[in-house]
Amino acid sequence: MNDEREIAALRGGADGATLIIVAGLHGNEAVGVEATRRVLERIQTERLSIKGQVLGLRGNVRALAAKRRYLARDLNRLWTPERVSAARAATSDPFTMPTLDGAELSELAELADAFDRVISAARGPVFVVDLHTTSAPGIPFSIVGSTPAHRAFARRFPMPGIAGIEELIEGVLTRYLGGKGCITVAIEGGQSDAPTTLANLEATVTIALAAAGIIELPALATAEATLVQARGELPTEIDVVSRHPVLPAHEFRMEPGFANIQRVVAGTLIASDRDGEIRAPEDGFVLLPLYQKQGSDGFFFGRHSA
């Protein structure tokens, strides 16, 4: 595997589950790479025994080097079987490459090949944790898949779980890998530049290792306490009911001051665009407000899960 792609790879003496940790699928979200490196390096340095295997991968290597969310297209919107097949075909025939997804084309094909190799060689269940950070301030939360196995895995992380986002966005990595039989969760660890985000994502990796049955590190209790404290009074489950998509022509402007999970009352001014004000349709939660130049999701709106 490409040395730039691999953060670390550990294999235990006994068969067990496989845990894949993906970090930096967006190139301006590099904190997850460092968090993964620190935790897995600690296992290596202390010569701790694990069961199964764990693999840390950088997502968009080229965008990470440029410190940009993406170079041509958002890599976390390209994960469909059709696009992966097209990317593989194009990278085998360089003359067709400019007609597809530009700079992210090779990333898509390379990562898809890496996933297939790991999944085909797995001796047990395959778990995937996709680490992200946000442009808005706020607390860590998980993005939960639709099956009972996905929800059970997500509940191991003591943070708010947001259900329904995967179904509203085409081409997200966790949905693609879920279709390949993996048990997945995406984690938003906090604001990219916040000093607490690295600790949040280290806690996430620590808990993921235990949840997958790889290893229970001595820091597990501290990791769980870190995320419980960060959650505060927020509910553990929130259902997404809508997505506000944006294009540059919309002239979308988020109102300042929203956290990545923000409780609001009906009528709260959320944002504005060329057509006027955008207000909360009911009491609920504004999720993942857009405060960066690149992005197609203005915000999501959710309500407390019944």
Side-chain angles (χ1 to χ4, degrees), residues 135-137 191 252-260 262-264 268-272 278 286 289-292 298-299:
S135 57
Q191 190 175 31
F252 176 83
R253 296 178 303 281
M254 193 76 203
E255 286 293 300
F258 283 90
N260 58 3
Q262 181 76 52
R263 194 186 298 268
V264 295
T268 299
L269 179 62
I270 298 173
S272 60
I278 303 164
V286 172
L290 182 66
Y291 286 117
Q292 56 192 356
F299 61 89

Side-chain angles (χ1 to χ4, degrees), residues 208-232:
L209 289 163
I214 305 293
I215 184 175
E216 289 195 6
L217 292 171
L220 178 60
T222 300
E224 292 171 337
T226 295
L227 298 184
V228 168
Q229 182 177 14
R231 189 183 73 222

Side-chain angles (χ1 to χ4, degrees), residues 43 48-51 205-218 220:
I43 294 173
L48 301 176
S49 297
I50 68 170
K51 182 179 180 182
V205 173
T206 300
I207 294 168
L209 289 163
I214 305 293
I215 184 175
E216 289 195 6
L217 292 171
L220 178 60

Side-chain angles (χ1 to χ4, degrees), residues 102-115:
E104 272 63 40
L105 184 67
S106 294
E107 300 286 345
L108 187 63
E110 291 166 11
L111 262 179
D113 288 347
F115 292 136

